């Protein structure tokens, strides 16, 4: 009788991170095995063991921290200013429709330009330095954030706007209490894209004449066929991007607590 009264308890699903870990172990194990059998040419693709040893050496020597600081400076300033400017401009375009209609052709025109191709122009105008690299990151992050915030503000529910008007909200109150919260999922999506794209642009910008940074080290080690160190720098760059994305996901869960 007691067993019949109680519903059957379903076993908890296996956490997703376990499957991710199993895939990682399988890929690394296969990779290491192929490298050990000399099936993979070590000149072009080092084994996981060699990459790990090279990565540890970079940390012990302090070289990783030195170049991390240089890239982090460009990354933080470029991503922060790009996301902030894109969010403000996109929200303004979505809120003031007339302004959005006027500015939209210019936004589409400049967003279609390949951002990396502008780097030689920035070097000619401002020289090889931090400012030119920051601008590359800034422009690359600006437009994804702008488009997301623009769509978020523009697609605010008309019913919410009408209810706010019935309650006597002023235009500024409608923006801060209705439009802005409604646009937050789009803003966080744009910020997530910007965080990932910003890291890519930092690395790419450092390929051209930088005196240091993660991208510069990837280029130098590749040029001298220091393959394990090159892949170690690539892995560190990818791990940093993953960490920033996970931090963004954590922030999104805190900000969008109602979703």
């Amino acid at each position: 009788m007691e067993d019949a009264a109680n519903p059957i308890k379903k076993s908890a699903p296996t956490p997703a991170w376990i499957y991710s870990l199993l895939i990682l172990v399988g890929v690394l194990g296969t990779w290491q095995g192929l490298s050990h059998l000399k099936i993979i040419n070590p000149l072009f693709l080092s084994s996981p063991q060699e990459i790990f040893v090279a990565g540890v050496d970079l940390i012990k020597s302090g070289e990783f921290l030195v170049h991390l600081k240089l890239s982090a400076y460009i990354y933080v300033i470029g991503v922060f200013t790009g996301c902030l400017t894109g969010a403000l401009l996109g929200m303004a375009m979505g809120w003031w429709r007339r302004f959005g209609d006027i500015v939209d052709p210019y936004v589409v025109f400049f967003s279609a330009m390949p951002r990396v191709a502008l780097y030689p122009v920035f070097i000619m105008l401002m020289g090889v330095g931090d400012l030119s690299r920051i601008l590359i990151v800034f422009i690359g992050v600006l437009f994804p954030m702008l488009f997301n915030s623009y769509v978020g503000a523009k697609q605010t529910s008309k019913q919410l706007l009408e209810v706010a008007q019935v309650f006597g909200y002023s235009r500024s109150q409608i923006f801060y209490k209705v439009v802005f919260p409604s646009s937050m999922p789009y803003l966080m999506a744009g910020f997530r894209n910007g965080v990932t794209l910003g890291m890519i642009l930092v690395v790419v910008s450092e390929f051209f004449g930088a005196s240091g940074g993660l991208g510069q080290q990837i280029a130098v080690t590749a040029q001298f066929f220091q393959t394990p160190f090159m892949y170690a720098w690539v892995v560190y760059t990818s791990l940093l991007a993953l960490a920033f994305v996970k931090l963004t996901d954590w922030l999104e869960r805190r900000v969008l607590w109602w979703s």
Side-chain angles (χ1 to χ4, degrees), residues 214-236:
L214 301 176
Q216 187 260 359
Q217 286 301 297
I218 293 174
V220 169
T221 51
Q223 183 179 0
F224 290 98
F225 289 96
Q226 297 173 341
T227 311
F229 289 96
M230 182 197 72
Y231 282 107
W233 286 114
V234 171
V235 169
Y236 279 137

